[in-house]
Amino acid sequence: MIRRFIARALVVLGFLAPGSWVLAGEPYVAFLRGLQNRGYGEQALAYLESIAAQPDLPEELKSALDLERSKCLRIAATEAYDMAQRDARLAEAKRLAEKFFKENPNHPAAGAVLLSEADDTLLKGQMSLAEWRVLKEQEPKDKA
């Protein structure tokens, strides 16, 4: 009786085990989103570079690598040490986003990235306006 139970248990485990191996895989998208949501732009970029050539990369990620790099560069721009580095990262992010949308004009993420570009422009304008309000002398105020 015990031998039958053990034999049945082994058969059941034999059927279940290969299925769990097939379903197991690296959660590429979930990990990338976690990095992005936590504001780790540079780490997300490094992670994208390390997984870009993986054969089991999900199609949704494989087809949108430029878009994901663009998102990560926007996040990394907030981590920049100076304005030149920030501007360079934002320019590269914009270039990658434009390249992606040129190749995939009907992608559902198009609106979100365009809105993020608009947010960046609005923030830049708000910063310029705040700088203008703080200036006391007329000449720098006219320049601003």
Side-chain angles (χ1 to χ4, degrees), residues 10-82:
L10 288 175
V11 170
V12 169
L13 287 175
F15 283 113
L16 292 178
S20 63
W21 294 337
V22 172
L23 295 176
E26 186 172 347
Y28 296 110
V29 177
F31 188 74
L32 179 63
R33 295 291 179 258
L35 290 171
Q36 290 172 336
N37 291 337
R38 287 173 179 80
Y40 300 144
E42 290 183 23
Q43 287 82 7
L45 277 170
Y47 179 67
L48 274 175
E49 292 305 316
S50 70
I51 66 169
Q54 294 295 324
D56 62 336
L57 196 64
E59 186 58 37
E60 71 174 283
L61 194 54
K62 193 181 294 186
S63 65
L65 280 174
D66 285 336
L67 178 63
E68 294 301 332
R69 285 185 182 106
S70 176
K71 289 179 187 177
C72 293
L73 279 166
R74 287 188 181 290
I75 296 167
T78 64
E79 304 168 351
Y81 294 108
D82 59 11

Side-chain angles (χ1 to χ4, degrees), residues 5 34 42 68 85 100 132:
F5 176 74
E42 290 183 23
E68 294 301 332
Q85 187 182 41
F100 175 77
W132 179 81

